[in-house]
């Protein structure tokens, strides 16, 4: 089944709102084995809507439309849909009751424009919006299904999950597809491709699908298969993942929707261990990353951010003579930072950084992108030197992810002792 | 000038990556007075790319294309562009040298696939990518400009800002439009609208354009005007901004692309003052925000993040009895945190937080979203209690922005003393 996503709204076109609806829809359609051929944003005008609906493409069988269904006058979508599907708006008494109940429940007064939300196309199957006032509408025309939904993300998501997908499943039009994403860290896309080329070629030969999805500091490898039984497909993919794990064990940190900070957090819990951080050039980003996972207080105790060199001595007790001799961006300094943090906080593990995040502030000896990191474990303290680019944001993210991945490997070792 | 944005990549279609490029492009085109008619995401296939380029729409004069230019084999865009524009790939020696320098600078080995990024369409004007290896390409065909760029946001943005927009300006094809965005913090959209309604109505009556752009903790007010002379338009808008400043002086913290952390940073520099932070529930987000501004080391000394309550006593010296009596989320605790941090780091100003970021962990007395903050200045320490919602990310961002805005007002007072 081939599909198209149509998002209506000027706020999307001119960048006032980032189109997260399209991404969410793309993901759920993809997971159901529905090919998303195109995703388009258009203006809230009759011309644009009619033009788009009239030209969805020859092989499209499903069109999901979001936006343009609010109670305000500039939302004209509903009338345009009536014209396109050659039907008319009629007041739906059942929906009107739901809207009235909606406002009553919230102790809010109801305007005439809210009542008009119960005026719905006669030929459409109405999909009840349980958390809002704009109903979903399911149309069919010449073998193509069109579903129009409100643009409010929570309302649209509920309609799709609870009504649109179940209706499609009922029809038996969805194929059996299974995907699994392998998350890697510490190796660039082109080096990864080179390392796993033989595996990749065999995989493609056997009819699997493969995609590389790079983002800052990570490359995701997505394996897909299509066939008759989902269980069988899952097993086939698992075998391929097992093969991959043997080729690049040190780079794989997780699967599918996991994040590095979650994986490390779970390993800390399994080790019954705590962690603290001593940041400098990363300026709190690592602390922020770790604490973006709810429940991080189980293992994360805190950080001393010594952005200024004097603070490295004053609060972390780094030897001033060492800073003078080697400079703040040096291996001896990050070792002292990690050890001091670990001792002061009484944590089991500590991560420290000192570097030149950029875009300026580099010297010949210590160029922008040079970042030292140290990891203190219960047994030892070790370091790594990164030589990154000039993009401050990227450097900070890369250093943080690299440190977490090194910590991850230590935590796995500790579990197996 | 009417334009279309084309984003290539399956990762966008299936929602693995949220399409922030389209939003960013939409905004910058809009600001230049270029109408964004459509924004479309398509698959990384020859068929989809050719089909989209062949049907851009009768009145489109500018097509911005992002994505599909990486070094891996599945990126086929470049070859498809050659076919579409009836040209061929030739190795560009100048670009090859730049790519080689790029890898050398990073001490990274270069693969054959990286070299192939110097193979570029003969008929295109090559736009140098100063921070990556995939060049931008400017084509013209039947009066339509097509610009293909890499999908990596930082690279694409640099190409558009520094090369695409200047080239369009040079041609004189852009209308005379001037926009100015007034940045407000500390007041919700509906309350803001109510406060400035009379000003707004007068503004619209005089033919200006106006838009409210809310985001977490902020509402941006964008004023626009179109006419013959940009200088004249700027002056007219400045008058309107001056009027607005008189109505809501305490809420306006900056203009256009400024960020709160930049504005506060500049005020700290003007005050010749330093700052440190004592975070808890915000987990380093404020430190990260402040240090995301290059040059923050001029005024930001560091942070103690006491995520764990014991650390509040151990490292910040908060009285354990006070934590026991009032709880960690309390006014006396944030006051002690800010004062202790200020004394220990020897900074002029300190910000502290303690709260329940959520989504869980609240009690009846201290519900999710309850956050105390304190600000220590050279003269005094004062507090504010926030009662926010249940969204962890939003709460952390709101608390940080609110604290920075309160600090901003103090710094302005200090300057005027």
């Amino acid at each position: 089944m081939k599909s198209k996503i149509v998002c209506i709204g000027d706020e999307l076109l001119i960048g006032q709102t980032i189109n997260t609806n399209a991404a969410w829809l793309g993901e759920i359609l993809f997971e159901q084995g529905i090919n998303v051929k195109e995703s388009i944003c258009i203006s809230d005008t009759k011309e644009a809507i009619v033009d788009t609906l009239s030209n969805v493409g020859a092989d499209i069988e499903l069109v999901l439309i979001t936006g343009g269904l609010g109670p305000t006058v500039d939302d004209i979508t509903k009338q345009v849909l009536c014209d396109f599907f050659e039907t008319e708006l009629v007041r739906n008494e059942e929906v009107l009751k739901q809207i009235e109940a909606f406002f009553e429940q919230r102790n809010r007064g109801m305007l005439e424009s809210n009542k008009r939300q119960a005026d719905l196309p006669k030929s459409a199957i109405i999909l009840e919006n349980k958390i809002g006032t704009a109903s979903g509408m399911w149309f069919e025309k010449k073998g193509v299904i069109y579903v129009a939904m409100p643009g409010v993300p929570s309302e649209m998501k509920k309609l799709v999950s609870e009504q649109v997908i179940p209706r499609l499943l009922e029809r038996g039009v969805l194929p059996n597809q299974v995907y699994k994403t392998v998350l890697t860290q510490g190796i660039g896309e082109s080096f990864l491709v080179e390392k796993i080329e033989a595996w990749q070629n065999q995989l493609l030969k056997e009819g699997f699908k493969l995609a590389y999805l790079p983002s800052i500091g990570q490359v995701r490898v997505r394996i897909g298969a299509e066939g008759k039984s989902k269980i069988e497909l899952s097993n086939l993919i698992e075998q391929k993942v097992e093969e991959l794990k043997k080729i690049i064990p040190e780079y794989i940190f997780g699967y599918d929707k996991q994040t590095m900070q979650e994986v490390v957090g779970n390993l800390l819990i399994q080790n019954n261990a705590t962690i603290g951080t001593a940041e400098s050039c990363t300026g709190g980003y690592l602390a922020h990353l770790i604490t973006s996972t709810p429940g991080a207080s189980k293992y994360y105790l805190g950080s001393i951010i010594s952005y200024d060199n004097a603070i490295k001595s004053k609060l972390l007790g780094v030897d001033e003579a060492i800073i003078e001799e080697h400079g703040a961006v040096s291996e001896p300094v990050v070792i002292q930072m990690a050890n001091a943090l670990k001792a002061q906080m009484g944590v089991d593990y500590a991560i420290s950084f000192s570097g030149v995040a950029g875009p300026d502030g580099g010297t010949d000896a210590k160029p922008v992108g040079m970042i030292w990191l140290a990891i203190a474990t219960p047994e030892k303290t070790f370091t790594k030197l990164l030589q990154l680019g000039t993009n401050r944001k990227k450097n900070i993210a890369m250093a943080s992810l690299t440190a977490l991945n090194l910590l991850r490997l230590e935590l796995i070792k500790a579990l197996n002792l």
Side-chain angles (χ1 to χ4, degrees), chain A:
Chain A
M1 182 171 227
K2 286 185 177 165
S3 70
K4 181 164 179 164
I5 298 168
V6 178
C7 301
I8 301 172
D10 285 325
E11 72 282 8
L12 299 170
L13 278 178
I14 64 167
Q16 280 179 27
T17 305
I18 290 174
N19 192 354
T20 56
N21 277 354
W24 188 88
L25 281 170
E27 193 166 7
I28 198 163
L29 291 173
F30 177 78
E31 282 168 359
Q32 294 298 333
I34 300 171
N35 179 310
V36 186
K37 228 190 140 194
E38 259 180 38
S39 157
I40 190 168
C41 283
I42 56 171
S43 183
D44 201 342
T45 62
K46 182 174 177 171
E47 190 202 352
I49 300 171
V50 170
D51 190 48
T52 301
L53 294 184
S54 310
N55 298 292
V56 287
D59 48 357
I60 298 290
E61 296 161 84
L62 174 67
V63 182
L64 295 185
I65 306 158
T66 70
L69 299 180
T72 50
V73 279
D74 56 339
D75 288 328
I76 54 154
T77 309
K78 226 160 44 175
Q79 189 53 57
V80 174
L81 290 174
C82 280
D83 297 348
F84 182 73
F85 292 107
E86 292 163 20
T87 183
E88 55 178 336
L89 288 179
V90 289
R91 181 147 299 190
N92 186 313
E93 292 303 330
E94 203 181 325
V95 171
L96 183 62
K97 271 183 211 150
Q98 288 157 8
I99 294 174
E100 281 166 352
F102 181 91
F103 278 89
E104 210 170 323
Q105 218 183 331
R106 284 161 183 76
N107 281 317
R108 276 162 52 189
M110 206 171 144
L111 302 171
E112 188 50 40
S113 60
N114 298 120
K115 283 190 192 158
R116 279 201 306 271
Q117 296 204 279
D119 297 341
L120 294 163
K122 203 174 173 182
S123 72
I125 298 171
I126 303 306
L127 310 179
E128 186 189 344
N129 182 346
K130 287 175 183 152
I131 52 172
T133 54
S135 302
M137 294 164 271
W138 175 295
F139 300 91
E140 297 188 34
K141 187 176 176 177
K142 295 180 186 162
V144 181
I145 298 165
Y146 301 77
V147 187
M149 296 170 290
V152 182
S154 57
E155 299 177 20
M156 180 280 289
K157 289 177 187 176
K158 208 172 162 70
L159 280 167
V160 171
S161 309
E162 296 180 4
Q163 302 197 59
V164 179
I165 298 294
R167 274 174 187 274
L168 291 171
L169 283 170
E170 242 173 51
R171 295 201 171 196
V173 290
L174 305 185
N176 279 322
Q177 277 195 352
V178 176
Y179 283 88
K180 179 149 183 164
T181 306
V182 178
L183 312 171
T184 76
Q185 204 282 327
I187 183 166
E189 183 181 358
S190 29
F191 288 89
L192 179 63
V193 173
E194 219 168 68
K195 250 192 197 312
I196 65 177
E197 204 172 6
W199 172 85
Q200 168 192 297
N201 293 342
Q202 181 60 28
L203 188 94
L204 296 174
K205 223 166 94 183
E206 291 174 27
F208 290 88
K209 296 178 209 170
L210 187 71
Y212 295 94
L213 312 166
S215 56
I216 293 177
Q218 294 186 9
V219 180
R220 290 168 292 163
V221 181
R222 195 185 55 223
I223 309 162
E226 191 170 334
K228 279 194 182 147
S229 139
K230 283 206 178 187
I231 295 166
E232 199 183 307
L233 294 172
S234 289
N235 288 338
L236 286 171
I237 288 181
E238 275 315 319
Q239 284 171 26
K240 290 293 156 193
V241 171
E242 286 304 315
E243 286 174 25
L244 190 61
K245 275 162 84 174
K246 280 183 194 130
I247 310 170
I248 49 163
E250 70 275 37
Y251 298 117
I252 298 175
F253 71 87
Y255 303 94
D256 297 326
K257 301 272 169 201
Q258 289 185 298
T259 62
M260 177 68 85
Q261 55 270 27
E262 253 173 55
V263 170
V264 168
N266 288 334
L267 282 168
L268 284 163
I269 291 172
Q270 285 175 54
N271 272 286
N272 196 21
T274 55
I275 185 174
T277 50
E279 300 190 51
S280 175
C281 60
T282 50
Y285 179 75
L286 179 58
H288 167 57
L289 204 63
I290 294 174
T291 58
S292 66
T293 302
S297 57
K298 289 192 197 82
Y299 45 83
Y300 185 68
L301 298 203
S303 180
I304 293 179
I305 305 175
S306 52
Y307 208 63
D308 186 71
N309 284 340
I311 304 298
K312 290 185 180 65
S313 308
K314 218 189 266 183
L315 292 193
L316 277 167
V318 175
D319 199 336
E320 277 180 41
I322 289 216
I323 296 183
E324 199 139 312
E325 193 188 341
H326 302 274
V329 180
S330 65
E331 188 171 28
V333 166
V334 284
I335 291 175
Q336 285 210 357
M337 286 171 71
N339 290 344
L341 192 283
K342 192 178 150 217
Q344 282 191 43
M345 287 212 177
V347 285
D348 303 307
Y349 292 85
I351 295 174
S352 68
F353 299 103
S354 187
V356 189
D360 310 307
T363 61
D364 281 351
K366 299 189 174 172
V368 168
M370 178 177 179
I371 298 178
W372 274 102
L373 69 87
I375 296 185
T377 75
E379 287 80 33
K380 63 180 180 201
T381 301
F382 65 97
T383 62
K384 188 177 169 86
L385 174 61
L386 301 175
Q387 308 266 21
L388 306 169
T390 55
N391 183 312
R392 181 183 183 85
K393 211 173 146 184
K394 260 195 204 169
N395 291 346
I396 291 172
M398 280 285 281
S400 301
L401 272 179
T402 303
L404 285 177
N405 196 36
L406 290 172
L407 174 65
R408 183 183 67 83
L409 296 171
E410 289 301 312
L411 290 168
I412 289 171
K413 268 191 235 161
L415 271 184
N416 295 334
L417 282 182

